[in-house]
Structures are given as structure tokens and as C-alpha cells.
Amino acid sequence: MRIPYSVLTKNSRLSTTTTLFLLTTSIITFLPILTIAEPQHATKEQIIIYACQQGLSPYKFDCGDQSYWACACQYPPVFGSLVSCMDSYLPEDNTNIKEKAWNLLSENCRKYGDVHGVTQKLIQSVLTNSTKYLINGDDKNLRRDEINYVPILPNKEDVLGSFRDYWVFLGNLDIGQYDGFIINYYFLVVLSLCGLFYQLKRYSIIRSFHSKWLNSIRSKLSMSLIFGSHSNEFHIYKSFTTLLPSRLEFFVLLGYFTLNAHFVFFGYEIYPKNHIFGPNTTRQFLRYIADRSGIISLAHLPILVLFAGRNNLLIRLTGVNYSSFMIYHKWTARVMFFDAIIHSLAYYVLMLQNGQLSYYRSLDWFLNGVNALYLCLVIVILAIHNFRKKCYELFIVMHISLAALFFYGCYLHCKPFGWLSWVYYAAGFWISDRVLRLVNLWKFGAPMAKIHYISDQTFKVSVQRPHNWRAFPGCFVYVHFLHPRLFWQSHPFTIVDSVEGFQEVTIYIKAKEGLTKSVLDIIGIQGPYSMRVSLEGPYGIENPLKNYDNVLLIAGGNGVPGPFYHAVELAKSSLIPKRRIKLIWVIRSIDSLRWFEKALEVALDYLGYFEIEIHITSKDFQLDQIKTDPLLLKFRDFKFFKGRLNSEKVLKEELGNAVGSVAITTCGPPILCDQIRKLVANELNACPYRVDLFEELQVW
Ligand SMILES: Cc1cc2nc3c(=O)[nH]c(=O)nc-3n(C[C@H](O)[C@H](O)[C@H](O)COP(=O)(O)OP(=O)(O)OC[C@H]3O[C@@H](n4cnc5c(N)ncnc54)[C@H](O)[C@@H]3O)c2cc1C
Ligand SMILES: NC(=O)c1ccc[n+]([C@@H]2O[C@H](COP(=O)([O-])OP(=O)(O)OC[C@H]3O[C@@H](n4cnc5c(N)ncnc54)[C@H](OP(=O)(O)O)[C@@H]3O)[C@@H](O)[C@H]2O)c1
Ligand SMILES: *[C@@H]1O[C@H](CO)[C@@H](O)[C@H](O)[C@H]1NC(C)=O
Ligand SMILES: *[C@@H]1O[C@H](CO)[C@@H](O)[C@H](O)[C@H]1NC(C)=O
């Protein structure tokens, strides 16, 4: 059946207004963190109360069996001492600081001493009365071991010293909170910059950004890799592997590491004459670093969750893809863990020195914190690449359940102290992602799909989509096979839309070891099999290949659907061929042609619009087969080659001969994509026009 091409799928690009709208909303969602978050800890009105209490602590009063606050808010000598001290030593301030201090005092009386009716007026009268009796704390006649029956004004230096001590101690908590914001905003700003370049590409302004000088920066900075490996796994030691960030991602991370290290390790005010911690400066440092690293660690939770979400708005806005966000997700998580370890170690040493460890071990919030730390350790260990690669499903189930427990642990740990808004934000991001995922699934529904094994371990899933469900080239979906054994798993696959059938989504799946193998076992290799499926998506970014005069699409093996869909859409979008479009497909054997045969037939209609080159690498393939094999005969207008693609030669030729800007897209075996990225980075200057590389392969 031929498809009515006139019915084109609508382009799913976001309009400028939508983009602006989304950008503003996403920034605004971050802003409330600033406003509703933790109240400031170091305020003068609060600290003057602590400092005066500290200053009065050496003197004895006759409070009977009253609690401290009940006595301090009622018994005239103590009450009078406290308000006289506050009145005399509260630092000048241009706000109505005294009023705030009296309000806070009255609030404390109500909260902690159950004493009501401590009004400004009452405080004034107590103050006036005490001046008649007030004795200076330094008075020679005053004996410290005897009970006093009159108000005492403590020594000025003592009180102001304590004031500074509390200012530093509580101020440190506020600094931790600000540092946390800065880390959140660092990522927001850096990602906005990425978004700016993405918009420049989308509106084809970037084409004029071209110079040798710029190219050398791009080839060294934004395009290069680290140890030549990005999509392809990197062997750290023997079979111990990992996925490395690209160089650009590395620099973004480097800035973040520096910021975090600077915040955690520096900027402490430590001095010997400290009334809270005594002369031991190490203890001061340990306590400050413990508090600050704890808060900064907690401040990581929202971005951590946001980066891992499938429905992360920032992906669409900034053009930074999911695999890139995954890199940031992993590294922010590791840094959060590192900060949490600093927090725990510092407190551990302090508690050991105090000999209070066993006391703290009896407290719930303490135990919950310890448990959260251990959970975090397990999560980080389970996330190593080797395990993820081997048992992705087990990994993801454990990752999510342990993470949920970890979040709950953090919540319980912080509940008595505050800073919970970080946890709430993280939970909010997580829940909204889950809800959007359900909405996406619901939008697609669960239609019956035709699943058909074809060749080369590859089966094809064809399913009718709702008419208002919009796909775009390069998009991918998460497929749920609605089978009792499989429905709970969802795996990412690239789709082509309305290429093989009208409003029909087609997915070409290569059977590997897990879910895909189970599906193949169920459907068998005979005729088509019917099964309900639900597709969650479409996700991903539409790379603006339209804006380039030359488009080179390079695909390997099962990576072809994305680049092919691009080629077809590019051809459809112009009535006369105005761009040079070339699709190069590297495959192992003609078996791969079979599962993609239907789609390739469509390409035959567009031969005036694009060229197709097919490289077949199997030893068994001979070029003369083109004249005999019926399948190859059908596609005789394509160019066939034997052996691997010589990427270097092809790129040099394409770039050297290009007239106008060039876009290169890759999708295929990771090593092939990394090689091409390296080559393009080195050859940027071979082309007198702007060259951009768009990688579609994603690995996480
Ligand atoms: C954006 C994107 C588009 C893709 N498009 C296609 C496509 O069009 N055709 C195709 O054949 N393959 C495609 N893949 C690869 C496909 O997702 C995996 O091959 C498939 O999920 C493997 O399932 P399995 O359980 O059989 O794998 P396993 O044999 O268990 O694992 C094989 C590999 O797949 C990875 N993997 C397994 N499950 C997931 C998952 N849920 N998410 C991410 N990675 C996973 C593992 O880490 C492992 O490296 C795509 C992958 C991505 C990320
Ligand atoms: N959007 C996405 O992220 C997305 C979409 C679809 C598929 N995928 C992934 O894409 C990959 C496709 O792999 P596959 O298993 O289908 O491929 P494959 O069969 O292993 O390889 C395809 C062809 O690429 C050739 N090739 C490999 N490395 C090369 C190199 N460095 N230079 C030149 N040619 C090279 C191979 O040649 P030899 O025979 O000589 O090795 C082979 O002919 C899978 O990992 C799949 O999961 C990802
Ligand atoms: C005034 O202060 C003195 C000394 O603290 C106290 O004994 C007395 O009761 C106070 N008088 C009033 C009216 O509060
Ligand atoms: C994803 O985005 C990053 C940053 O924008 C880009 O460098 C990379 O090529 C893209 N593709 C992959 C597979 O990482």
C-alpha cells in the first residue's frame, strides 16, 4: 500500500511564544524556593536573646521549680535582666529592630514558657522598673555564688562576644542555604546558555557564526570528547566501564565541582575566643563544615530529580538531550553523596569527642539520617555502569525504590530542624513527572499492534496512532508491551511516523537479552502477532536540520530509523530539491535491508531529493549480487558499497565540496558515532561554511 503523502504530519516544533512561556514558567517555578524556603537563622533580634542569656548564665536567681522561660518571662529580676541587656546591647539598625526583638521575646514566652500577655507595653514597664534596681554584672560587691534578687546587666564585651559567636554560627546555616540556591541557579544559567545556542540553530542565525577562530574553539571545547569516548563505554580498568561526559559537559561539571568545593571547604570565620565552642578552633570548624555541607547536600535534591525526569521541560527548552541530563544527574548525585559524607563525618568526630555518640544513637532523626546515608551509598554503588548494562531492569527498580526510601529518610532526618522545602521540591518534580508519564500513556491509549519478526534479530511493531498525537523526526517513545509478563517495563525506541502506513507508527526493534528477547520469544518468528502496546512519548528534540543547505545523515545498523525519518521529512518539506541530502547506512548484511524494506520503498519515490548509500560489511557479500539478488535489484538506484564506511574520507569529501552550511547527523553503534564526532571536530576548517553535528544516539 502506498501512503498519501499529502497528509503530512504536522511539525511539532515549539513556537517562540510557547518557548518563552515555558521558559518563564520554569524559571518562576524555581523562584519560590528563594522566598518560601528556610527562614533566615541569623537575625539580630534572635541572636541578642541568645547572647543575653549566655551573658547572664554565670549569675544565680531564685526561679524555684519554674522552667527557664516561665521564670524569664515573669520573675522580675530575671525578666528585668534580660530586657535590660537586650535594650542596652542590641546593635543599632535602621529597621525597627527593637520592636522585632520585643515581639520575638513575647513569642518565645508564649511558646516555651506558656506565659501569655507579654506585650510591648509590659516589657517597657519592666524595663523602666529595672533601671531603678539594676546592678552592673562587673560590680565588685556582686558575689557570683550567691542568689541575686535584683536585675543584673551582664558585661558588655561578654554579650557582644557571644553576639558575634551566634552570628557566625547561625549565619553559617544561612550561608549554606544561599550556596544551595547558587548551585541550583548555576545549572539553570548554564543550561539557559545552551538553550541560547539551540535557539540560534533553530532560527538558523547560527549559520553566520563562522570563522576559523571560532572553529578552533568549537573543536577544542564543545565538540571534543574526553579520551575519545562518549556514547561508547570507557574502560577504567579492565572490564570496569563507565560513560564519560563530553568535553563541554566536563567543563560544565568542572565549574560546578569548583563551586561546590569552594562552598563546602572555605569561608568559615574561626577564632579562639568563642563562647559557644570554647577555644578549640577545630571543633568550631567541624561544626560549621558539618552544618554547611549538610544543607548544600540537601539542596541538591530538586535538580537531581528534575534532571532524571523524562518530562523534564528543560530538554525541550535548551535542546540539551536526555543523555546529557543523565550525565548531570549522575554527577550531581555523586557530589550530593560526597557532601553528605562530609556532613556525617564531621558530626561523627564531634559526637565522639563529646562522648555523646550513644546518646544520639537513641534519637530517631539521627538514625534516619544515618540510614539515608547508607541508602545513598548503596544507590551510588548499584548505579555503576557494569551493573546497569547487565541488568538494567533490576537496576531501575532498585534505584527507584531505594531512592524513595532515601528521600523519606532525608525528610525524617530534617523534620525537627527545617530545610524541608528542598525535599518537597524534589518530591514535587518526581510526582509531576510520574503524572505526566501517565497522561502521555493515556493520550496514546492501548491499541492493538502488529508485531512481526522479519530478519536479522529484528522485529517490527506497527501501531495506529491517535490522529492528534504528533511525532517528529528523531523522536523516541517508551514502549509498554501489554503482556502479563512485560507490561511494567518500558524501553526507549526510535519511531518513524506515517512512513509505512497512514497515521501508523513503526518501530524496528533489535532483540537483545532482556525485554526485547522476551517479546521475540512470545511472538515467535512465524507470521504477524497481535498484542496491545502503549507508547509513552514522543520524547526527544527535533534537530533543526531544515536550516542547513547540506544534510549528511550517517546511520549504522538499527540506528537508521531516526536519520531516515529526517530524510523523508526534509524531502517532503520542499517541493523542489533545494538541499543536498545524503543518507549513509552501514549494515552487516542484506538481512538488515529486509526489515527496513518497506520504508526503503518509500525512499524510491524521493530519489530526486536525496541520495542513499548503503555499505555492507559482511564478508559474504559480493558487489555482483546487485545484479542478481531481487531485493538489491529493487533498490538498484541506491549506491552499494562493500566493507566498512571510511568515515574520514567521506567527511573530508563532503565538507570540502560543500556549498553552503552542513549538518551532520549520526545514529548507530556508539563507537562509530564517537569516531565521527572526533573527525568532525578535527575537520571543521575543511569547510568554508558553518558545520554542525547533531548526534541522535543516546546512551545512559
Ligand atoms: C533514545 C533511544 C532510542 C533507541 N531506539 C532504538 C531502536 O529504534 N531500535 C532498537 O533496536 N533499539 C533502540 N534503542 C536501544 C533499546 O532501547 C535497547 O536495545 C533495549 O531497551 C534493550 O532492551 P533489553 O531489555 O532487551 O536489553 P538488555 O539486553 O537487557 O540490555 C541491552 C542494553 O540496553 C540497555 N537498556 C536496557 N534497558 C534499557 C532502558 N529501559 N533504557 C535505556 N537503556 C536500556 C542496557 O543498558 C544495555 O546496554 C534505543 C535506545 C535509546 C536510548
Ligand atoms: N536514538 C538512539 O539512541 C538509537 C536508535 C536506534 C538504535 N540505537 C542503538 O544503535 C545501535 C545500532 O547497533 P546495531 O547492533 O544495529 O549495529 P551493528 O549491527 O553492530 O553495526 C552496524 C554496522 O556498523 C558497522 N560499524 C561498527 N563500527 C563501525 C566503525 N567504527 N566504522 C564504520 N562502521 C562501523 C558495522 O560493521 P562491522 O560489521 O564491520 O562491525 C556494521 O556493519 C544499537 O546499540 C542500538 O541500541 C540507538
Ligand atoms: C520592680 O523590680 C523589682 C526588682 O526586680 C521587683 O522586686 C519589683 O517587684 C518590680 N516592680 C514591679 C511593679 O514590677
Ligand atoms: C546531546 O546534547 C549534547 C549537549 O547539547 C550534545 O553535545 C550531544 O551531541 C547530544 N547527543 C548525545 C548523544 O549526547
PDB file of all heavy atoms in Angstrom, residues 222 230-231 246 248-249 319-321 323-324 677 695-698, ligand 4:
ATOM      1  N   SER A 222      33.568  22.501  22.541  1.00  0.00           N
ATOM      2  CA  SER A 222      32.205  21.979  22.570  1.00  0.00           C
ATOM      3  C   SER A 222      32.067  20.645  21.840  1.00  0.00           C
ATOM      4  O   SER A 222      31.171  19.871  22.114  1.00  0.00           O
ATOM      5  CB  SER A 222      31.240  23.003  21.997  1.00  0.00           C
ATOM      6  OG  SER A 222      31.557  23.273  20.666  1.00  0.00           O
ATOM      7  N   HIS A 230      32.402   8.784  24.397  1.00  0.00           N
ATOM      8  CA  HIS A 230      31.244   9.456  24.988  1.00  0.00           C
ATOM      9  C   HIS A 230      30.050   8.512  24.976  1.00  0.00           C
ATOM     10  O   HIS A 230      29.599   8.045  26.013  1.00  0.00           O
ATOM     11  CB  HIS A 230      30.948  10.736  24.205  1.00  0.00           C
ATOM     12  CG  HIS A 230      29.760  11.490  24.706  1.00  0.00           C
ATOM     13  ND1 HIS A 230      29.548  11.761  26.021  1.00  0.00           N
ATOM     14  CD2 HIS A 230      28.722  12.045  24.041  1.00  0.00           C
ATOM     15  CE1 HIS A 230      28.425  12.435  26.163  1.00  0.00           C
ATOM     16  NE2 HIS A 230      27.896  12.614  24.974  1.00  0.00           N
ATOM     17  N   SER A 231      29.565   8.183  23.778  1.00  0.00           N
ATOM     18  CA  SER A 231      28.479   7.210  23.684  1.00  0.00           C
ATOM     19  C   SER A 231      29.019   5.813  23.956  1.00  0.00           C
ATOM     20  O   SER A 231      28.343   4.971  24.525  1.00  0.00           O
ATOM     21  CB  SER A 231      27.858   7.239  22.291  1.00  0.00           C
ATOM     22  OG  SER A 231      27.294   8.494  22.056  1.00  0.00           O
ATOM     23  N   SER A 246      31.009  14.437  27.713  1.00  0.00           N
ATOM     24  CA  SER A 246      31.723  15.066  26.604  1.00  0.00           C
ATOM     25  C   SER A 246      32.541  16.200  27.198  1.00  0.00           C
ATOM     26  O   SER A 246      32.397  16.539  28.369  1.00  0.00           O
ATOM     27  CB  SER A 246      30.748  15.612  25.577  1.00  0.00           C
ATOM     28  OG  SER A 246      30.074  16.726  26.117  1.00  0.00           O
ATOM     29  N   LEU A 248      32.394  19.386  26.712  1.00  0.00           N
ATOM     30  CA  LEU A 248      31.557  20.515  27.135  1.00  0.00           C
ATOM     31  C   LEU A 248      30.884  20.195  28.476  1.00  0.00           C
ATOM     32  O   LEU A 248      30.880  21.002  29.407  1.00  0.00           O
ATOM     33  CB  LEU A 248      30.505  20.806  26.066  1.00  0.00           C
ATOM     34  CG  LEU A 248      29.637  22.022  26.325  1.00  0.00           C
ATOM     35  CD1 LEU A 248      30.475  23.290  26.289  1.00  0.00           C
ATOM     36  CD2 LEU A 248      28.525  22.126  25.286  1.00  0.00           C
ATOM     37  N   GLU A 249      30.337  18.990  28.556  1.00  0.00           N
ATOM     38  CA  GLU A 249      29.708  18.567  29.814  1.00  0.00           C
ATOM     39  C   GLU A 249      30.735  18.567  30.941  1.00  0.00           C
ATOM     40  O   GLU A 249      30.447  18.955  32.079  1.00  0.00           O
ATOM     41  CB  GLU A 249      29.113  17.165  29.662  1.00  0.00           C
ATOM     42  CG  GLU A 249      27.851  17.144  28.829  1.00  0.00           C
ATOM     43  CD  GLU A 249      27.520  15.762  28.252  1.00  0.00           C
ATOM     44  OE1 GLU A 249      28.344  14.826  28.343  1.00  0.00           O
ATOM     45  OE2 GLU A 249      26.435  15.629  27.680  1.00  0.00           O
ATOM     46  N   GLY A 319      17.402  22.273  24.372  1.00  0.00           N
ATOM     47  CA  GLY A 319      17.990  21.425  23.344  1.00  0.00           C
ATOM     48  C   GLY A 319      19.057  20.496  23.906  1.00  0.00           C
ATOM     49  O   GLY A 319      19.743  19.825  23.159  1.00  0.00           O
ATOM     50  N   VAL A 320      19.205  20.495  25.226  1.00  0.00           N
ATOM     51  CA  VAL A 320      20.139  19.551  25.842  1.00  0.00           C
ATOM     52  C   VAL A 320      19.382  18.238  26.017  1.00  0.00           C
ATOM     53  O   VAL A 320      18.303  18.217  26.592  1.00  0.00           O
ATOM     54  CB  VAL A 320      20.624  20.070  27.216  1.00  0.00           C
ATOM     55  CG1 VAL A 320      21.480  19.035  27.912  1.00  0.00           C
ATOM     56  CG2 VAL A 320      21.385  21.366  27.034  1.00  0.00           C
ATOM     57  N   ASN A 321      19.944  17.169  25.465  1.00  0.00           N
ATOM     58  CA  ASN A 321      19.173  15.928  25.414  1.00  0.00           C
ATOM     59  C   ASN A 321      19.189  15.143  26.724  1.00  0.00           C
ATOM     60  O   ASN A 321      19.959  15.433  27.632  1.00  0.00           O
ATOM     61  CB  ASN A 321      19.672  15.072  24.258  1.00  0.00           C
ATOM     62  CG  ASN A 321      21.171  15.000  24.254  1.00  0.00           C
ATOM     63  OD1 ASN A 321      21.763  14.798  25.306  1.00  0.00           O
ATOM     64  ND2 ASN A 321      21.774  15.195  23.100  1.00  0.00           N
ATOM     65  N   SER A 323      20.328  12.194  27.457  1.00  0.00           N
ATOM     66  CA  SER A 323      21.561  11.520  27.870  1.00  0.00           C
ATOM     67  C   SER A 323      22.509  12.520  28.529  1.00  0.00           C
ATOM     68  O   SER A 323      23.248  12.172  29.444  1.00  0.00           O
ATOM     69  CB  SER A 323      22.220  10.788  26.704  1.00  0.00           C
ATOM     70  OG  SER A 323      22.685  11.675  25.748  1.00  0.00           O
ATOM     71  N   SER A 324      22.471  13.764  28.071  1.00  0.00           N
ATOM     72  CA  SER A 324      23.287  14.794  28.693  1.00  0.00           C
ATOM     73  C   SER A 324      22.784  15.093  30.115  1.00  0.00           C
ATOM     74  O   SER A 324      23.573  15.216  31.052  1.00  0.00           O
ATOM     75  CB  SER A 324      23.178  16.042  27.825  1.00  0.00           C
ATOM     76  OG  SER A 324      24.330  16.781  27.823  1.00  0.00           O
ATOM     77  N   ARG A 677      32.238  12.039  15.570  1.00  0.00           N
ATOM     78  CA  ARG A 677      32.307  13.289  16.324  1.00  0.00           C
ATOM     79  C   ARG A 677      33.748  13.814  16.359  1.00  0.00           C
ATOM     80  O   ARG A 677      34.005  14.998  16.166  1.00  0.00           O
ATOM     81  CB  ARG A 677      31.789  13.068  17.744  1.00  0.00           C
ATOM     82  CG  ARG A 677      31.830  14.316  18.572  1.00  0.00           C
ATOM     83  CD  ARG A 677      30.922  14.200  19.759  1.00  0.00           C
ATOM     84  NE  ARG A 677      31.044  15.370  20.621  1.00  0.00           N
ATOM     85  CZ  ARG A 677      30.097  15.790  21.430  1.00  0.00           C
ATOM     86  NH1 ARG A 677      28.960  15.155  21.477  1.00  0.00           N
ATOM     87  NH2 ARG A 677      30.274  16.844  22.189  1.00  0.00           N
ATOM     88  N   GLU A 695      24.052  14.674  17.180  1.00  0.00           N
ATOM     89  CA  GLU A 695      24.080  13.235  17.480  1.00  0.00           C
ATOM     90  C   GLU A 695      22.705  12.805  17.949  1.00  0.00           C
ATOM     91  O   GLU A 695      22.115  13.452  18.812  1.00  0.00           O
ATOM     92  CB  GLU A 695      25.102  12.959  18.568  1.00  0.00           C
ATOM     93  CG  GLU A 695      26.513  13.156  18.120  1.00  0.00           C
ATOM     94  CD  GLU A 695      27.499  12.881  19.238  1.00  0.00           C
ATOM     95  OE1 GLU A 695      27.434  13.567  20.267  1.00  0.00           O
ATOM     96  OE2 GLU A 695      28.320  11.980  19.076  1.00  0.00           O
ATOM     97  N   GLU A 696      22.219  11.733  17.388  1.00  0.00           N
ATOM     98  CA  GLU A 696      20.895  11.264  17.802  1.00  0.00           C
ATOM     99  C   GLU A 696      20.982  10.025  18.681  1.00  0.00           C
ATOM    100  O   GLU A 696      20.021   9.677  19.344  1.00  0.00           O
ATOM    101  CB  GLU A 696      20.026  10.985  16.576  1.00  0.00           C
ATOM    102  CG  GLU A 696      19.880  12.221  15.718  1.00  0.00           C
ATOM    103  CD  GLU A 696      18.456  12.578  15.372  1.00  0.00           C
ATOM    104  OE1 GLU A 696      17.708  11.662  14.993  1.00  0.00           O
ATOM    105  OE2 GLU A 696      18.111  13.769  15.473  1.00  0.00           O
ATOM    106  N   LEU A 697      22.117   9.385  18.651  1.00  0.00           N
ATOM    107  CA  LEU A 697      22.260   8.204  19.502  1.00  0.00           C
ATOM    108  C   LEU A 697      22.303   8.664  20.957  1.00  0.00           C
ATOM    109  O   LEU A 697      23.009   9.590  21.298  1.00  0.00           O
ATOM    110  CB  LEU A 697      23.574   7.502  19.177  1.00  0.00           C
ATOM    111  CG  LEU A 697      23.932   6.366  20.127  1.00  0.00           C
ATOM    112  CD1 LEU A 697      23.100   5.139  19.829  1.00  0.00           C
ATOM    113  CD2 LEU A 697      25.400   6.058  20.075  1.00  0.00           C
ATOM    114  N   GLN A 698      21.510   8.032  21.781  1.00  0.00           N
ATOM    115  CA  GLN A 698      21.574   8.369  23.203  1.00  0.00           C
ATOM    116  C   GLN A 698      21.868   7.119  24.012  1.00  0.00           C
ATOM    117  O   GLN A 698      21.320   6.061  23.739  1.00  0.00           O
ATOM    118  CB  GLN A 698      20.246   8.964  23.673  1.00  0.00           C
ATOM    119  CG  GLN A 698      19.909  10.260  22.981  1.00  0.00           C
ATOM    120  CD  GLN A 698      18.894  11.064  23.776  1.00  0.00           C
ATOM    121  OE1 GLN A 698      19.123  11.419  24.919  1.00  0.00           O
ATOM    122  NE2 GLN A 698      17.763  11.338  23.168  1.00  0.00           N
TER     123      GLN A 698
HETATM  124  C1  LIG B   4      23.220  15.677  23.476  1.00  0.00           C
HETATM  125  O1  LIG B   4      23.411  17.029  23.825  1.00  0.00           O
HETATM  126  C2  LIG B   4      24.756  17.394  23.996  1.00  0.00           C
HETATM  127  C3  LIG B   4      24.779  18.803  24.542  1.00  0.00           C
HETATM  128  O2  LIG B   4      23.908  19.650  23.889  1.00  0.00           O
HETATM  129  C4  LIG B   4      25.496  17.228  22.671  1.00  0.00           C
HETATM  130  O3  LIG B   4      26.853  17.559  22.841  1.00  0.00           O
HETATM  131  C5  LIG B   4      25.386  15.788  22.217  1.00  0.00           C
HETATM  132  O4  LIG B   4      25.950  15.651  20.954  1.00  0.00           O
HETATM  133  C6  LIG B   4      23.932  15.352  22.173  1.00  0.00           C
HETATM  134  N1  LIG B   4      23.843  13.949  21.867  1.00  0.00           N
HETATM  135  C7  LIG B   4      24.337  12.965  22.625  1.00  0.00           C
HETATM  136  C8  LIG B   4      24.111  11.594  22.165  1.00  0.00           C
HETATM  137  O5  LIG B   4      24.926  13.172  23.657  1.00  0.00           O
END
